[in-house]
Amino acid sequence: MFISRRLLRTTAFGIIGFGTLASLRANEYDLGSIGIVRLGRAAVKVFVIGRHYKNELYASKLTGDSPEYLDLKSRVHKFGAQKLLELCCENKGVYIKVGQHIGALDYLLPPEYVSTMRVLHSSAPQSCFKDVLTVIKEDFKKDPYEIFESIDPEPLGTASLAQVHKAVLKDGSVVAVKIQHRSVKTNSYVDIKTMSALVKITSLVFPDFKFDWLVDETKKNIPRELDFLQEGKNAEKVKSIFSHYHWLKIPKIYWDISSRRVLTMEFIDGGQVNDLKYIQNNNLNAYEVSSKLGRLYSHMIFIVGFVHSDPHPGNILVRKKNNEAEIVLLDHGLYADLSNEFRWEYSKLWLAIFNSDKNAMQTHCAKLGVPDLYGLLACMVSGRSWNAIMAGIQKTKYDVKEKQEFQKEIPLLLPEISNVLEKVNRQMLLILKTNDLVRSIEHNLKTESRMFGMLEMSKCCIHSVYGERLKLCTNTWISLKLSIAKQWSLFKLSLYYIYLGALNFNIKESIESLMNNNHYAF
């Protein structure tokens, strides 16, 4: 028995030692990159956060509804959020990706966490230029300067899994080169397992929350995002699908200088889509930008079911071309591929929300996996309060009062929201994230009042719902009646849009915008 235990112990240490050595070698003997160190960092941070909550908040004798308690809770949340941000920046890679996701969950986490983690959308830690050159050399088996005439050492942008550098090819073509962080793939598998364990520990700090869905989604999406050849294929697919949108630009892919870790594409200059100052300085119309963005994403979600699912501002550029706004779509690593059944059901839910039809909302939410908390799911989908939904979201503007009401209610419903995310159809998770990010862009552009996005979404929902009925219909006469009903619904929507323009804005401008926006190719 003694010999067996000794042998077992020796074997275990040998395996750990060999694994550690292999990990060190893969990461050029960077101690901070090996799994055991990354796991240790994560465990220490979680322990520090948990202890702080226990000592400062849970041990407090303040009552839950007193101003002093709320102030203390906010300070404790800020401490926890800052420690979590430090962990993401130290471990990088998958941790940054999860941190970015947290930064988009306005409806799930305390605002202190969301606002703190949101910084990762625009300023993720970068790899050194030496590592960038090493990845290129490893993937193409030649010196990078045999491929490129020059490469700018300073990245144009840095994300969780990669960073982009401007370069010039031997023929003088200017390109953008996306290079994966060197150790991110090696570390990702260990990181996901670590996160799974940390989620269970976190549930002790937040006992009402269920975060398993976040780990599951990360586990499913990361391998897809780490394959840059698949990203190139996604870019070409979306370029083909939306070729009729002359104002949409997808960068050309240079396949002969691309691999699983390096993606070379056409360099395109422009301003971030939420940069209102850039838009105004370049004589662009913010409402036109918002309208085109709403049309593009509504078409993706409700009509084709192939949805660009990381629309944070760094991934969407805007520029002036031929006197109009051109939208440039970047970073095609993550797409939601929606089934027809989900797309049709989701469209019906939106029409039920537009029509303030409580019974229909309950029916379609049940089919999407949430039969009991249908009102909450409707609020999460639309980003509007229940009072606004029942009053008619197409009739009521989203104002400061409603926003304050919404933000006041969210903290009281966090366990229920977590429950919804645990139960809802998995295809909904990326859509909720996409909706929130697009709404955030509209908010920064100050275009919510005109409800362009709502108009575009309504059109696409009508096309989707009637498209399903026509597809399943075998009777010629009924098909004709459905086609007429569809056109009548679209006509009524157009009249309503003109009415809104006459009521609040310029009727001539509304009619011109309607004519420009009515060229769908379904």
Side-chain angles (χ1 to χ4, degrees), residues 16 18 96 191 249 271 364 448:
I16 292 170
F18 179 77
I96 296 284
D191 287 347
K249 176 70 176 175
H364 300 304
E448 302 121 312

Side-chain angles (χ1 to χ4, degrees), residues 119-132:
V119 70
L120 295 173
H121 285 154
S122 56
S123 57
Q126 67 184 59
S127 295
C128 66
F129 190 54
K130 179 187 174 186
D131 278 355
V132 167

Side-chain angles (χ1 to χ4, degrees), residues 95-152:
Y95 284 82
I96 296 284
K97 176 60 67 177
V98 172
Q100 288 175 335
H101 202 139
I102 289 171
L105 298 177
D106 297 87
Y107 49 80
L108 176 60
L109 290 174
E112 293 84 1
Y113 277 86
V114 175
S115 60
T116 300
M117 304 307 285
R118 193 163 277 165
V119 70
L120 295 173
H121 285 154
S122 56
S123 57
Q126 67 184 59
S127 295
C128 66
F129 190 54
K130 179 187 174 186
D131 278 355
V132 167
L133 297 178
T134 300
V135 170
I136 296 172
K137 189 173 182 178
E138 287 176 347
D139 277 28
F140 298 108
K141 312 302 179 191
K142 59 173 71 173
D143 187 280
Y145 292 102
E146 292 179 41
I147 304 169
F148 303 102
E149 185 64 32
S150 65
I151 309 172
D152 192 340

